[in-house]
Amino acid sequence: MDHFELKNGVLHAEDVPLPVIAAQVGTPVYVYSRATLTRHARVFRDALGVLRNARIAFAVKSNPNLSVLKVLAAEGYGADVVSGGEMERALAAGMAPDGIVFSGVGKTAAEMRRGIEAGIGQFNLESEEEGLELAEIAASMGRVASAALRVNPDVDAGTHGKISTGKAENKFGVPFDRAAAIYARLAGTPGLNMRGLTLHIGSQLSKLEPLEAAFTKVGGLMEEIRAGGHTVTHMDLGGGIGVPYKAGEVFPQPEEYAAMVARVTGNWGVTLMFEPGRVITGNTGVLVTQVIRVKEGAGNPWVVVDAAMNDLARPALYDAWHDFVAVEPKGETFEANIVGPICESSDTFAMARTIDTVVRGDLAVFRTAGAYGATMANTYNSRPLVPEVMVDGDKWAVVADRIDPATILAAERVPEWLA
Ligand code: LLP
């Protein structure tokens, strides 16, 4: 459920007509609904209420906008960050350092140092090498870093290959059969407080079974580690729950997910941690775009919109589907291809799709663009960096400016030997 609805024939974000935002900010522009964000955050948090000791670290990569993080911080969310930049955002949004988890295979020494300095709650280690390096840095600072070991459970998440992370051939985590030995070695290293295990098998998962299989496997590993005399107090189960992008698709609900987790982890006796991204932010945003023109094709007409793959990369990268609807639908549909202005064929949002009939100048939106939308935008073809707006009832504000090509050009330098 979201708060992007037709009122008097015009698509609104909560109480704000999208044409009002488009007229003042221009297009393309991401528009987020605060009410939708809050609702998703609460539904997920409340569902986890069946678990005794759950903490949520929002996957900042899915939507790092400062205002989005502020809303989630107010709902008691921590953050799962994967770079120094994301960590600084989470801190700037007022998230408690203790509620921040630092993930990722390539944390640099500088990022580790900064994380320790800031007092972040947990480093999710992706290798023994990384653990030893973190231990050394922490010890040199006279500190102890809390950490969990990421395990690769070798489970097929059944999602798109480019967003699957829990198979042995993926770069993430340590191999399952070596994990207990690595944990034991790291647990004995000064500077480290090894407190648990973590896993994340992939994103946009449509079924709970792969997650259940992976959690069960890692639960067994936890027992093995404890039997070896080591302590496990925290288990971080990652993110990954998918959302419907097409009308009619059915995805696991947070309550079903929580019930499964309760069933599998009932006797673990740990603090459970979660790193949801898309399930919180996916439906909270749309990308508003204007039709530049409709061009005749050999087959279907080409609807050329002013958003492109640099603004919303998911269709080009993962053949992802985003519903496309007119802001003021005329009650008619036609079959068309939807493309952006960028000069490569991957700049295609949809082929042979039946959509609301649109003509030059019409506004339309790509739905479910709140996760992995603006955050993956770039300036390819020297296009502006897309702005973001947040709506709250009848109020709205630009929460990230459009960055003009001129600003980017101004940051470039021509060396003297070229002048
Ligand atoms: N935790 C870790 C360690 C992750 O790598 C990810 C996502 C998450 C949590 C959050 O996963 P979520 O709940 O959002 O599925 N750009 C892709 C998605 C990449 C996901 C990367 N990792 C897309 O647009 O579909």
Side-chain angles (χ1 to χ4, degrees), residues 57-62 80-82 103-104 124 126 150 159-160 162-163 165 172 198-205 236-242 245 274-281 313-314 317-318 320 322 371-373 375-376:
F58 169 65
V60 171
K61 64 172 82 65
S62 77
D80 164 50
V81 304
V82 293
S103 302
N124 283 351
E126 298 255 2
R150 178 160 177 184
T159 186
H160 191 283
K162 286 188 182 166
I163 52 177
T165 50
F172 300 97
T198 176
L199 74 160
H200 172 79
I201 62 172
S203 193
Q204 183 55 6
L205 307 194
D236 178 345
L237 303 182
I241 306 175
Y245 281 92
F274 300 88
E275 302 172 354
R278 190 188 318 260
V279 72
I280 307 296
T281 50
R314 304 192 66 258
L317 276 176
Y318 323 112
H322 286 265
Y372 306 108
T375 178
M376 291 173 69

Side-chain angles (χ1 to χ4, degrees), residues 65-84:
N65 182 278
L66 192 55
S67 300
V68 167
L69 298 184
K70 280 230 170 236
V71 170
L72 294 176
E75 295 299 325
Y77 276 58
D80 164 50
V81 304
V82 293
S83 70

